[in-house]
């Protein structure tokens, strides 16, 4: 009895703690700032799209959105391609050399990215890669390779080698085995890794902050920081920008919950 | 190309005994060709990682021994940076203390709450699944967005939290959440727990579902209460999962750069700064690149020591 009541109370409190801020943001993006401040939780008096219109007419956010899409798409696809190739190689290479590489890649997993920023910044300045979107793609790929390889090579190892052997007997080369056996079999884990990469790349602040200063090249999280300066305490505008930045992820989450949860927890457990 | 060849040869020399049994029928020459092909598949990853991540990370070792504003030539100053951080830098110690407090708070509350909610939502009923979806939700939002939302909630004069506290007569609790040196770090820790508890709950649920049902049935036959069941079945059986959750939460709390930077930039007066934000600000606001590299090295040492310690404690308790 005590357990049941405690459970219900605990679950309700945490549910409210998550729901309330979400509602404040969603409703707030349709309100004026005064209304948001005085009645943060109430439904908007009228559902006005003025904030969205002003934001988009400001122009910059469209740019930021496009930059985020470009950077995320290329980063995720490239990481997936390079890491799946490497994972296959590592998993299929017999013993020592494969394991050495595996250790090398997993070395960086526990260390926060922020410890590398000085060297990365200097290198990217030297190579003229600051203030470019492809520079951002490069650092995203390089920094997410270890975790992707970690997850994928664990999966590739689980594929029984008999499956490869029969194909190898027919003379199939490693790349063929990768393309026509390993990849199709690994679709679920590739999906999970893809989602994981999507979320961390789309949401990342550190690397854009480090490498991008030109406002037309900024991605959404970085632009959001500028917004705060620009709109000072105009939270309804800020929340509108938060909505724009979050909607793609939220839509994907609602459409593919299972892949999201497994992808983000795989990243957690392995990371 | 040179590395490729030596690598392939090395791989080939290591394999015969193992390989013979694994790939019967393939001649040695074919196996070697295959190994070279396999190695070629790894090369793009090695190059990307080594050039753009490993090399810049290791170059900390060089910068850390110099005084350098990032623009002019670096000046070699030996181990001065290292001794200064330890003996003559109050801010470094303050931030180290902050980081320990932040990590401690987050690890305790995030692990405890995620275990509690995992137990509550273990059964796959419709309500449980819906609540899991809701609790997990913050995980997919960017730290910057989360920071904006909580800046509003914590706003000292008109923000919802203080408005609520004032309206129910708890004025003394209506603090300046992100503007006072005493509570800001804790307020950010609260947001971090709010942010990631759902994610760790999912990890726990996966772990708890592995526990054989018979153990609970046996405990029930013995007349064990819920608390006794937890103490003698759930907790010991979930220890490996707890180890994973705690290790990840620790690392995650050290990585909370985005959240801290977006919420307070470490202020006021460094009271909410953690090591990763300190490194960034030392390098890019104060233009002391050499010193920031030294701080990075201390951070790495600190994390490695902490992970080793954690692993040791949890291993002895299995």
């Amino acid at each position: 009895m005590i357990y049941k009541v405690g459970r219900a109370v605990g679950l309700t409190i945490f549910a409210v703690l998550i729901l309330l801020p979400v509602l404040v943001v969603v409703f707030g993006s349709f309100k004026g700032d005064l209304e948001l401040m005085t009645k943060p939780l109430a439904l908007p008096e009228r559902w006005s799209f003025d904030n969205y219109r002003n934001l988009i007419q400001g122009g910059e956010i469209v740019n930021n959105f496009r930059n985020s899409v470009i950077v995320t798409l290329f980063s995720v696809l490239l990481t997936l391609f390079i890491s799946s190739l490497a994972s296959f190689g590592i998993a299929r290479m017999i013993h020592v050399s494969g394991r050495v590489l595996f250790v090398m890649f997993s070395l960086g997993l526990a260390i926060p990215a922020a410890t590398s920023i000085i060297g990365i910044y200097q290198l990217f300045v030297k190579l003229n890669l600051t203030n470019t979107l492809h520079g951002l793609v490069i650092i995203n790929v390089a920094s997410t390779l270890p975790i992707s390889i970690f997850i994928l090579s664990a999966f590739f190892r689980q594929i029984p080698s008999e499956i490869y052997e029969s194909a190898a007997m027919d003379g199939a080369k490693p790349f063929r085995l990768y393309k026509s056996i390993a990849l199709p079999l690994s679709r679920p884990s590739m999906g999970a890794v893809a989602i994981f990469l999507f979320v961390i790349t789309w949401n990342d602040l550190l690397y854009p902050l480090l490498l991008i200063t030109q406002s037309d090249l900024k991605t959404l999280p970085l632009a959001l920081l500028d917004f705060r300066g620009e709109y000072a305490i105009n939270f309804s505008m800020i929340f509108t920008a938060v909505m724009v930045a979050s909607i793609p992820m939220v839509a994907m989450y609602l459409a593919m919950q299972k892949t999201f949860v497994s992808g983000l927890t795989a990243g957690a457990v392995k990371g | 190309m040179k590395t490729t060849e030596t690598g392939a040869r090395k791989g080939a020399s290591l394999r015969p005994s193992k390989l013979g049994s694994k790939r019967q029928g393939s001649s040695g020459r074919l196996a070697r060709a295959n190994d070279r092909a396999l190695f070629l598949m790894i090369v793009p990853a090695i190059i990307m990682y080594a050039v753009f991540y490993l090399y810049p990370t290791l170059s900390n070792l060089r910068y850390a021994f110099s005084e350098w504003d990032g623009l002019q030539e670096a000046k070699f100053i030996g181990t001065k940076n290292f001794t200064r951080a330890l003996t003559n830098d109050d801010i470094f110690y303050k931030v180290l203390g902050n980081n320990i407090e932040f990590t401690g708070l987050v690890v305790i509350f995030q692990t405890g709450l995620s275990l509690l909610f995992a137990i509550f939502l273990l059964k796959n009923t419709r309500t449980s699944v819906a609540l899991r979806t809701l609790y997990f939700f913050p995980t997919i939002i960017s730290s910057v967005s989360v920071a904006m939302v909580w800046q509003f909630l914590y706003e000292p004069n008109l923000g919802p939290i203080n408005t609520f506290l004032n309206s129910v007569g708890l004025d003394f609790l209506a603090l300046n959440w992100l503007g006072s040196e005493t509570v800001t770090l804790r307020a950010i820790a609260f947001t971090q727990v709010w942010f990631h508890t759902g994610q760790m709950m999912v990890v726990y649920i996966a772990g708890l579902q592995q526990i054989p049902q018979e153990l609970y049935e046996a405990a029930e036959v013995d007349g064990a209460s819920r608390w006794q069941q937890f103490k003698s079945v759930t907790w010991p059986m979930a220890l490996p999962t707890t180890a994973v959750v705690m290790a990840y939460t620790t690392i995650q709390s050290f990585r909370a750069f985005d959240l801290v930077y977006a919420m307070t930039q470490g202020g006021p007066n460094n009271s909410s700064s953690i090591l990763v934000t300190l490194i960034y600000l030392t390098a890019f606001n104060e233009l002391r690149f050499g010193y920031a590299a030294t701080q990075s090295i201390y951070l790495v040492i600190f994390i490695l020591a902490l992970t080793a310690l954690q692993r040791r404690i949890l291993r002895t308790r299995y």
Side-chain angles (χ1 to χ4, degrees):
Chain A
M1 187 58 196
I2 296 173
Y3 173 80
K4 274 198 179 144
V5 173
R7 175 178 181 269
V9 170
L11 290 176
T12 311
I13 290 177
F14 199 55
V16 168
L17 263 180
I18 291 179
L19 265 177
L20 285 188
V22 173
L23 292 182
V24 168
V25 172
V26 175
F27 293 164
S29 70
F30 295 99
K31 293 176 187 169
D33 206 44
L34 186 70
E35 195 188 340
L36 172 66
M37 279 301 190
T38 48
K39 283 175 261 169
L41 274 173
L43 280 166
E45 274 159 21
R46 59 181 193 92
W47 292 81
S48 144
F49 281 88
D50 289 355
N51 294 334
Y52 288 90
R53 200 173 304 123
N54 291 338
L55 192 68
I56 289 166
Q57 270 167 4
E60 207 71 319
I61 192 123
V62 181
N63 251 336
N64 304 138
F65 197 90
R66 200 202 53 202
N67 295 338
S68 274
V69 170
I70 293 173
V71 169
T72 307
L73 220 55
F74 279 99
S75 302
V76 172
L77 290 178
L78 262 172
T79 307
L80 274 184
F81 177 63
I82 297 176
S83 65
S84 64
L85 260 184
S87 305
F88 178 82
I90 287 175
R92 293 292 297 156
M93 268 176 114
I94 312 298
H95 295 289
V96 184
S97 45
R99 199 169 294 163
V100 168
L101 288 166
F102 188 70
V103 170
M104 180 186 119
F105 278 112
S106 47
L107 212 68
L109 287 181
I111 298 164
T115 53
S116 314
I117 53 177
I118 298 155
I120 291 170
Y121 179 74
Q122 293 302 333
L123 179 71
F124 278 58
V125 166
K126 252 181 243 158
L127 298 175
N128 277 324
L129 286 170
T130 54
N131 279 320
T132 64
L133 293 183
H134 55 270
L136 214 45
V137 171
I138 289 174
I139 190 57
N140 283 332
V141 174
S143 62
T144 53
L145 272 177
I147 180 77
S148 316
I149 290 178
F150 212 82
I151 300 172
L152 285 178
S153 61
F155 179 81
F156 283 138
R157 262 197 213 111
Q158 285 169 13
I159 301 176
S161 53
E162 289 79 24
I163 295 182
Y164 296 116
E165 269 154 32
S166 55
M169 294 269 258
D170 299 338
K173 296 261 162 46
F175 190 77
R176 272 276 315 279
L177 296 178
Y178 159 80
K179 216 182 79 183
S180 43
I181 297 181
L183 274 193
L185 278 176
S186 66
R187 208 171 284 162
S189 19
M190 291 280 275
V193 175
I195 293 291
F196 172 72
L197 294 172
F198 254 105
V199 174
I200 57 173
T201 313
W202 181 267
N203 290 339
D204 182 46
L205 171 67
L206 181 64
Y207 292 129
L209 182 69
L210 189 66
L211 299 177
I212 308 286
T213 51
Q214 219 169 294
S215 65
D216 61 326
L217 291 172
K218 286 183 176 174
T219 56
L220 284 165
L222 187 53
L224 266 179
L225 275 190
D226 288 2
F227 263 69
R228 189 186 44 194
E230 202 175 317
Y231 291 102
I233 46 162
N234 190 340
F235 276 105
S236 62
M237 277 308 266
I238 292 172
F239 286 174
T240 311
V242 166
M243 288 290 284
V244 172
S246 311
I247 282 171
M249 282 300 130
V250 176
M252 281 170 71
Y253 177 58
L254 294 178
M256 319 186 269
Q257 264 175 51
K258 279 223 171 96
T259 323
F260 256 80
V261 172
S262 66
L264 286 169
T265 47
V269 173
K270 302 281 163 44
Chain B
M1 213 51 218
K2 215 170 163 192
T3 38
T4 317
E5 301 229 316
T6 45
R9 224 174 289 136
K10 212 190 264 168
S13 68
L14 285 165
R15 49 222 300 295
S17 60
K18 315 281 188 199
L19 188 76
S21 59
K22 276 219 161 182
R23 284 188 211 160
Q24 286 164 353
S26 56
S27 73
R29 221 174 76 206
L30 184 61
R32 223 165 329 194
N34 276 349
D35 232 28
R36 177 174 300 188
L38 285 174
F39 193 82
L40 278 175
M41 295 169 90
I42 309 174
V43 168
I46 294 181
I47 292 177
M48 279 299 283
Y49 180 65
V51 173
F52 293 105
Y53 205 80
L54 202 57
Y55 163 72
T57 306
L58 293 178
S59 59
N60 268 341
L61 292 172
R62 191 155 43 88
Y63 300 145
F65 294 96
S66 60
E67 189 181 307
W68 184 37
D69 63 0
L71 305 166
Q72 286 147 332
E73 278 294 290
K75 200 174 91 198
F76 181 81
I77 54 166
T79 56
K80 246 188 214 158
N81 285 335
F82 288 89
T83 47
R84 189 192 319 162
L86 291 186
T87 57
N88 191 19
D89 187 349
D90 294 343
I91 292 177
F92 184 69
Y93 274 106
K94 182 176 182 180
V95 171
L96 185 67
N98 288 348
N99 211 140
I100 292 170
E101 184 184 344
F102 183 74
T103 300
L105 283 173
V106 171
V107 168
I108 290 169
F109 285 101
Q110 192 161 306
T111 310
L113 286 175
S114 57
L115 175 59
L116 186 70
F117 292 134
I119 293 172
F120 285 166
L121 299 178
L122 192 56
K123 293 210 183 94
N124 291 323
T125 62
R126 274 176 69 182
T127 341
S128 292
V129 174
L131 281 175
R132 280 184 221 162
T133 308
L134 179 66
Y135 289 1
F136 190 83
F137 177 76
T139 310
I140 65 162
I141 304 296
S142 78
S143 302
V144 181
S145 297
V146 169
M148 301 290 154
V149 176
W150 282 89
Q151 273 181 334
F152 174 72
L153 299 175
Y154 281 140
E155 216 279 325
N157 302 315
L158 297 161
I161 292 177
N162 282 359
T163 311
F164 172 76
L165 289 171
N166 287 328
S167 72
V168 295
L170 294 168
D171 311 51
F172 64 96
L173 275 179
L175 305 168
N176 187 358
W177 300 104
L178 297 179
S180 104
E181 291 202 28
T182 44
V183 291
T184 302
L185 186 71
R186 287 169 210 170
I188 299 177
F190 185 87
T191 303
Q192 171 83 354
V193 172
W194 176 89
F195 198 179
H196 292 293
T197 292
Q199 190 186 12
M200 289 303 111
M201 175 197 72
V202 170
V203 176
Y204 257 128
I205 289 177
L208 295 182
Q209 284 177 341
Q210 306 284 319
I211 301 176
Q213 200 54 41
E214 295 86 57
L215 292 179
Y216 289 106
E217 282 159 17
E220 225 154 277
V221 170
D222 292 344
S225 68
R226 245 175 225 285
W227 172 245
Q228 283 166 329
Q229 284 183 31
F230 171 79
K231 234 174 48 182
S232 50
V233 180
T234 311
W235 178 251
M237 293 298 283
L239 260 187
T241 314
T242 304
V244 170
V245 168
M246 287 181 89
Y248 187 72
T249 305
T250 306
I251 291 169
Q252 200 178 42
S253 72
F254 274 96
R255 282 189 181 154
F257 174 86
D258 289 12
L259 188 68
V260 175
Y261 187 83
M263 278 182 94
T264 61
Q265 292 209 7
N269 193 16
N270 289 309
S271 63
S272 67
S273 206
I274 57 174
L275 288 166
V276 281
T277 49
L278 179 72
I279 291 169
Y280 180 88
L281 296 173
T282 307
F284 295 96
N285 279 23
E286 296 176 21
L287 295 178
R288 293 156 74 199
F289 281 76
Y291 196 51
T294 311
Q295 293 171 336
S296 304
I297 290 175
Y298 277 129
L299 172 57
V300 170
I301 294 172
F302 191 61
I303 289 182
L304 291 181
L306 201 67
T307 344
L309 186 77
Q310 238 176 13
R311 214 166 268 178
R312 194 143 188 201
I313 293 171
L314 286 158
R315 192 176 296 150
T316 52
R317 295 194 57 187
Y318 277 121

